[in-house]
Amino acid sequence: MAELGAARVRYDDARWQANERSGRIDFTPLDTAKPRLDPVELRVLGDAATCSDLARQAFETGHYETRSLEPKPVSIGGKTGQRFDAHTGCRNATPRGVVICVKVAGHAYLLQALNPGCEGRNLFSGIDPLEEIAGGISFAANDAR
């Protein structure tokens, strides 16, 4: 298990390596999961900005088309959030970038799978890059007001 603020993340340590850093946890796929999964990052920020603005800022790390970002409702750890998918501006077939934003206890939690370049996992794997990590997130009851 890894912890970040009010977020608790249970994950399969045979498939993922978690590196906790200041304000974030980096999840790196291991062994046989590497070709099918992209790295995932969970960050915690102040919640002054909207989820749309935070997603746009996150997508600036790569070659993403952000003019028509449409949020989709999601639930992470029992909290309602927004999911944003953005296509790359790359010519080759690269996976979409994904950012999920959930606001809890005065903080914004961003779960993201982004590629800074024009490479990434197998597009035809059928695996959502955030599904496995997102499914393991819960928020501490005393911090999740």
Short mmCIF file of all heavy atoms in Angstrom, two decimals, residues 10-43:
data_model
loop_
_atom_site.label_atom_id
_atom_site.label_comp_id
_atom_site.label_asym_id
_atom_site.label_seq_id
_atom_site.Cartn_x
_atom_site.Cartn_y
_atom_site.Cartn_z
N ARG A 10 -4.02 0.68 -2.75
CA ARG A 10 -3.64 -0.74 -2.76
C ARG A 10 -3.36 -1.13 -4.20
O ARG A 10 -4.14 -0.79 -5.10
CB ARG A 10 -4.77 -1.60 -2.21
CG ARG A 10 -5.02 -1.38 -0.75
CD ARG A 10 -5.91 -2.47 -0.18
NE ARG A 10 -6.25 -2.20 1.20
CZ ARG A 10 -5.44 -2.40 2.24
NH1 ARG A 10 -4.23 -2.87 2.02
NH2 ARG A 10 -5.83 -2.12 3.46
N TYR A 11 -2.25 -1.82 -4.43
CA TYR A 11 -1.87 -2.21 -5.78
C TYR A 11 -1.14 -3.53 -5.73
O TYR A 11 -0.66 -3.96 -4.67
CB TYR A 11 -1.00 -1.12 -6.43
CG TYR A 11 0.29 -0.88 -5.68
CD1 TYR A 11 1.46 -1.54 -6.06
CD2 TYR A 11 0.35 -0.03 -4.58
CE1 TYR A 11 2.63 -1.35 -5.36
CE2 TYR A 11 1.51 0.16 -3.88
CZ TYR A 11 2.65 -0.50 -4.28
OH TYR A 11 3.82 -0.32 -3.57
N ASP A 12 -1.05 -4.18 -6.85
CA ASP A 12 -0.38 -5.47 -6.98
C ASP A 12 1.12 -5.20 -7.14
O ASP A 12 1.56 -4.76 -8.21
CB ASP A 12 -0.94 -6.21 -8.19
CG ASP A 12 -0.34 -7.58 -8.39
OD1 ASP A 12 0.69 -7.91 -7.75
OD2 ASP A 12 -0.90 -8.35 -9.21
N ASP A 13 1.89 -5.47 -6.09
CA ASP A 13 3.32 -5.16 -6.16
C ASP A 13 4.10 -6.13 -7.05
O ASP A 13 5.29 -5.93 -7.27
CB ASP A 13 3.94 -5.04 -4.77
CG ASP A 13 3.84 -6.30 -3.93
OD1 ASP A 13 3.35 -7.33 -4.42
OD2 ASP A 13 4.25 -6.24 -2.76
N ALA A 14 3.45 -7.15 -7.59
CA ALA A 14 4.09 -7.99 -8.59
C ALA A 14 3.97 -7.35 -9.98
O ALA A 14 4.73 -7.68 -10.89
CB ALA A 14 3.46 -9.38 -8.61
N ARG A 15 3.00 -6.43 -10.13
CA ARG A 15 2.78 -5.76 -11.43
C ARG A 15 3.26 -4.31 -11.43
O ARG A 15 3.50 -3.74 -12.48
CB ARG A 15 1.30 -5.80 -11.78
CG ARG A 15 0.81 -7.19 -12.12
CD ARG A 15 -0.69 -7.27 -12.25
NE ARG A 15 -1.32 -6.32 -13.14
CZ ARG A 15 -1.49 -6.48 -14.45
NH1 ARG A 15 -1.06 -7.59 -15.03
NH2 ARG A 15 -2.09 -5.58 -15.17
N TRP A 16 3.34 -3.69 -10.24
CA TRP A 16 3.66 -2.27 -10.16
C TRP A 16 4.74 -2.01 -9.11
O TRP A 16 4.74 -2.63 -8.05
CB TRP A 16 2.43 -1.47 -9.74
CG TRP A 16 1.30 -1.51 -10.70
CD1 TRP A 16 0.23 -2.36 -10.67
CD2 TRP A 16 1.11 -0.67 -11.84
NE1 TRP A 16 -0.61 -2.09 -11.71
CE2 TRP A 16 -0.10 -1.06 -12.44
CE3 TRP A 16 1.83 0.37 -12.40
CZ2 TRP A 16 -0.59 -0.45 -13.60
CZ3 TRP A 16 1.35 0.99 -13.53
CH2 TRP A 16 0.14 0.58 -14.12
N GLN A 17 5.58 -1.04 -9.39
CA GLN A 17 6.51 -0.51 -8.40
C GLN A 17 6.05 0.90 -8.08
O GLN A 17 5.81 1.70 -9.00
CB GLN A 17 7.93 -0.47 -8.94
CG GLN A 17 8.91 0.15 -7.97
CD GLN A 17 10.31 0.19 -8.53
OE1 GLN A 17 10.62 -0.47 -9.52
NE2 GLN A 17 11.16 0.97 -7.91
N ALA A 18 5.89 1.22 -6.80
CA ALA A 18 5.44 2.56 -6.39
C ALA A 18 6.62 3.31 -5.80
O ALA A 18 7.30 2.81 -4.90
CB ALA A 18 4.32 2.45 -5.36
N ASN A 19 6.87 4.50 -6.31
CA ASN A 19 7.91 5.38 -5.78
C ASN A 19 7.24 6.62 -5.24
O ASN A 19 6.68 7.41 -6.01
CB ASN A 19 8.92 5.76 -6.87
CG ASN A 19 9.71 4.57 -7.34
OD1 ASN A 19 10.23 3.81 -6.53
ND2 ASN A 19 9.79 4.38 -8.64
N GLU A 20 7.28 6.78 -3.91
CA GLU A 20 6.66 7.93 -3.28
C GLU A 20 7.65 9.09 -3.28
O GLU A 20 8.80 8.93 -2.91
CB GLU A 20 6.22 7.57 -1.86
CG GLU A 20 5.16 6.48 -1.84
CD GLU A 20 4.69 6.13 -0.45
OE1 GLU A 20 4.53 7.04 0.38
OE2 GLU A 20 4.47 4.93 -0.21
N ARG A 21 7.17 10.24 -3.74
CA ARG A 21 7.97 11.46 -3.78
C ARG A 21 7.13 12.57 -3.17
O ARG A 21 5.96 12.39 -2.89
CB ARG A 21 8.34 11.80 -5.22
CG ARG A 21 9.08 10.67 -5.90
CD ARG A 21 9.29 10.99 -7.37
NE ARG A 21 9.64 9.80 -8.10
CZ ARG A 21 10.87 9.45 -8.41
NH1 ARG A 21 11.85 10.16 -8.07
NH2 ARG A 21 11.10 8.35 -9.09
N SER A 22 7.71 13.71 -3.02
CA SER A 22 6.97 14.84 -2.45
C SER A 22 5.77 15.20 -3.32
O SER A 22 5.92 15.59 -4.47
CB SER A 22 7.91 16.05 -2.34
OG SER A 22 7.21 17.15 -1.82
N GLY A 23 4.58 15.02 -2.78
CA GLY A 23 3.36 15.41 -3.48
C GLY A 23 2.91 14.46 -4.58
O GLY A 23 1.98 14.77 -5.31
N ARG A 24 3.55 13.27 -4.71
CA ARG A 24 3.11 12.35 -5.75
C ARG A 24 3.62 10.93 -5.50
O ARG A 24 4.56 10.71 -4.74
CB ARG A 24 3.54 12.83 -7.12
CG ARG A 24 5.00 12.65 -7.42
CD ARG A 24 5.30 13.11 -8.84
NE ARG A 24 6.48 12.47 -9.33
CZ ARG A 24 7.54 13.11 -9.78
NH1 ARG A 24 7.56 14.42 -9.81
NH2 ARG A 24 8.57 12.43 -10.23
N ILE A 25 2.98 10.00 -6.18
CA ILE A 25 3.44 8.61 -6.21
C ILE A 25 3.53 8.22 -7.68
O ILE A 25 2.56 8.39 -8.44
CB ILE A 25 2.46 7.65 -5.50
CG1 ILE A 25 2.23 8.07 -4.05
CG2 ILE A 25 3.00 6.22 -5.56
CD1 ILE A 25 1.11 7.29 -3.37
N ASP A 26 4.67 7.71 -8.09
CA ASP A 26 4.86 7.21 -9.46
C ASP A 26 4.71 5.69 -9.43
O ASP A 26 5.40 5.01 -8.67
CB ASP A 26 6.25 7.56 -9.99
CG ASP A 26 6.46 9.06 -10.11
OD1 ASP A 26 5.51 9.76 -10.48
OD2 ASP A 26 7.58 9.52 -9.83
N PHE A 27 3.81 5.17 -10.27
CA PHE A 27 3.61 3.73 -10.40
C PHE A 27 4.19 3.29 -11.75
O PHE A 27 3.76 3.76 -12.80
CB PHE A 27 2.12 3.38 -10.36
CG PHE A 27 1.48 3.66 -9.03
CD1 PHE A 27 0.87 4.88 -8.79
CD2 PHE A 27 1.52 2.72 -8.02
CE1 PHE A 27 0.28 5.15 -7.56
CE2 PHE A 27 0.94 2.98 -6.78
CZ PHE A 27 0.32 4.19 -6.56
N THR A 28 5.16 2.38 -11.69
CA THR A 28 5.83 1.89 -12.89
C THR A 28 5.47 0.42 -13.08
O THR A 28 5.62 -0.38 -12.15
CB THR A 28 7.36 2.02 -12.75
OG1 THR A 28 7.67 3.37 -12.43
CG2 THR A 28 8.07 1.61 -14.03
N PRO A 29 4.98 0.05 -14.29
CA PRO A 29 4.65 -1.37 -14.51
C PRO A 29 5.92 -2.23 -14.53
O PRO A 29 6.97 -1.79 -14.98
CB PRO A 29 3.96 -1.37 -15.87
CG PRO A 29 4.34 -0.09 -16.52
CD PRO A 29 4.71 0.87 -15.46
N LEU A 30 5.78 -3.45 -14.02
CA LEU A 30 6.91 -4.37 -13.93
C LEU A 30 6.74 -5.57 -14.86
O LEU A 30 5.62 -5.96 -15.18
CB LEU A 30 7.04 -4.89 -12.49
CG LEU A 30 7.31 -3.84 -11.41
CD1 LEU A 30 7.20 -4.49 -10.03
CD2 LEU A 30 8.69 -3.23 -11.61
N ASP A 31 7.84 -6.15 -15.23
CA ASP A 31 7.91 -7.42 -15.95
C ASP A 31 6.92 -7.54 -17.11
O ASP A 31 6.95 -6.74 -18.02
CB ASP A 31 7.75 -8.60 -14.96
CG ASP A 31 8.83 -8.56 -13.88
OD1 ASP A 31 9.97 -8.18 -14.22
OD2 ASP A 31 8.53 -8.90 -12.74
N THR A 32 6.01 -8.52 -17.02
CA THR A 32 5.10 -8.78 -18.14
C THR A 32 4.07 -7.68 -18.33
O THR A 32 3.45 -7.59 -19.39
CB THR A 32 4.36 -10.13 -17.96
OG1 THR A 32 3.64 -10.09 -16.73
CG2 THR A 32 5.35 -11.29 -17.95
N ALA A 33 3.86 -6.83 -17.33
CA ALA A 33 2.90 -5.72 -17.46
C ALA A 33 3.48 -4.55 -18.26
O ALA A 33 2.74 -3.74 -18.80
CB ALA A 33 2.47 -5.24 -16.08
N LYS A 34 4.81 -4.47 -18.35
CA LYS A 34 5.46 -3.33 -19.03
C LYS A 34 4.96 -3.06 -20.44
O LYS A 34 4.68 -1.92 -20.78
CB LYS A 34 6.98 -3.53 -19.06
CG LYS A 34 7.68 -2.86 -17.96
CD LYS A 34 9.18 -2.98 -18.18
CE LYS A 34 9.90 -2.36 -17.01
NZ LYS A 34 11.33 -2.48 -17.12
N PRO A 35 4.85 -4.09 -21.30
CA PRO A 35 4.43 -3.79 -22.68
C PRO A 35 2.96 -3.40 -22.81
O PRO A 35 2.55 -2.87 -23.83
CB PRO A 35 4.68 -5.10 -23.44
CG PRO A 35 5.32 -6.04 -22.50
CD PRO A 35 5.22 -5.48 -21.13
N ARG A 36 2.16 -3.66 -21.77
CA ARG A 36 0.72 -3.42 -21.88
C ARG A 36 0.24 -2.21 -21.09
O ARG A 36 -0.85 -1.72 -21.32
CB ARG A 36 -0.05 -4.66 -21.42
CG ARG A 36 0.24 -5.86 -22.31
CD ARG A 36 -0.46 -7.11 -21.82
NE ARG A 36 0.11 -7.50 -20.53
CZ ARG A 36 -0.61 -7.78 -19.45
NH1 ARG A 36 -1.91 -7.75 -19.48
NH2 ARG A 36 -0.04 -8.13 -18.33
N LEU A 37 1.03 -1.75 -20.11
CA LEU A 37 0.60 -0.66 -19.25
C LEU A 37 1.57 0.51 -19.31
O LEU A 37 2.77 0.31 -19.39
CB LEU A 37 0.50 -1.15 -17.80
CG LEU A 37 -0.52 -2.24 -17.52
CD1 LEU A 37 -0.31 -2.81 -16.12
CD2 LEU A 37 -1.93 -1.69 -17.66
N ASP A 38 1.04 1.70 -19.25
CA ASP A 38 1.87 2.90 -19.15
C ASP A 38 2.11 3.22 -17.69
O ASP A 38 1.30 2.86 -16.83
CB ASP A 38 1.16 4.10 -19.79
CG ASP A 38 1.20 4.06 -21.31
OD1 ASP A 38 2.11 3.42 -21.86
OD2 ASP A 38 0.33 4.69 -21.93
N PRO A 39 3.18 3.95 -17.40
CA PRO A 39 3.35 4.43 -16.03
C PRO A 39 2.17 5.32 -15.64
O PRO A 39 1.57 5.98 -16.48
CB PRO A 39 4.64 5.25 -16.10
CG PRO A 39 5.35 4.73 -17.31
CD PRO A 39 4.28 4.31 -18.26
N VAL A 40 1.85 5.31 -14.36
CA VAL A 40 0.74 6.09 -13.81
C VAL A 40 1.28 6.94 -12.67
O VAL A 40 2.14 6.48 -11.92
CB VAL A 40 -0.39 5.16 -13.31
CG1 VAL A 40 -1.47 5.93 -12.60
CG2 VAL A 40 -0.96 4.35 -14.47
N GLU A 41 0.78 8.14 -12.56
CA GLU A 41 1.21 9.03 -11.49
C GLU A 41 -0.01 9.52 -10.73
O GLU A 41 -1.03 9.86 -11.33
CB GLU A 41 1.96 10.22 -12.10
CG GLU A 41 2.48 11.22 -11.11
CD GLU A 41 3.23 12.35 -11.79
OE1 GLU A 41 4.22 12.09 -12.49
OE2 GLU A 41 2.79 13.50 -11.64
N LEU A 42 0.08 9.54 -9.40
CA LEU A 42 -0.95 10.14 -8.56
C LEU A 42 -0.32 11.35 -7.91
O LEU A 42 0.72 11.25 -7.26
CB LEU A 42 -1.42 9.14 -7.49
CG LEU A 42 -2.43 9.67 -6.47
CD1 LEU A 42 -3.74 10.07 -7.15
CD2 LEU A 42 -2.69 8.64 -5.38
N ARG A 43 -0.94 12.52 -8.11
CA ARG A 43 -0.43 13.77 -7.52
C ARG A 43 -1.51 14.38 -6.63
O ARG A 43 -2.69 14.20 -6.87
CB ARG A 43 -0.09 14.79 -8.61
CG ARG A 43 1.00 14.34 -9.54
CD ARG A 43 1.47 15.42 -10.48
NE ARG A 43 0.38 15.99 -11.27
CZ ARG A 43 0.35 17.27 -11.66
NH1 ARG A 43 1.29 18.11 -11.31
NH2 ARG A 43 -0.66 17.70 -12.39
#
